[in-house]
Amino acid sequence: LFPYTTLFRSALTRLAEFDPRQAQVLELHFFAGLTFDEIGEQLGVSTRTIKRDWTMARAWLHGQLIP
């Protein structure tokens, strides 16, 4: 389990360097359990933007974790 956690954290750090908001969306939804509406309110952007960021972040992360 530990190597996967380290790999995930490393990929999340790279995502934050590439697109900080996408990384925030992923963390707030995945780890904090916030809804897309709640994340949008917290970050000051629309729910649609949050959903788009979520989709892009997941695709990017998948590409980093699954070669």
Side-chain angles (χ1 to χ4, degrees):
L1 183 66
F2 178 76
Y4 296 111
T5 304
T6 302
L7 184 62
F8 182 80
R9 273 285 168 205
S10 177
L12 189 56
T13 299
R14 288 192 306 277
L15 177 60
E17 292 169 1
F18 174 72
D19 192 311
R21 191 178 67 211
Q22 285 183 12
Q24 279 185 300
V25 168
L26 199 145
E27 288 178 324
L28 290 171
H29 188 64
F30 190 73
F31 294 114
L34 274 77
T35 67
F36 294 133
D37 290 333
E38 292 169 332
I39 296 168
E41 286 178 27
Q42 185 168 345
L43 299 183
V45 296
S46 71
T47 300
R48 179 69 191 120
T49 297
I50 295 302
K51 288 179 180 178
R52 189 171 33 253
D53 283 349
W54 170 253
T55 300
M56 295 299 293
R58 282 181 43 217
W60 189 91
L61 194 61
H62 185 337
Q64 295 295 305
L65 299 176
I66 314 268

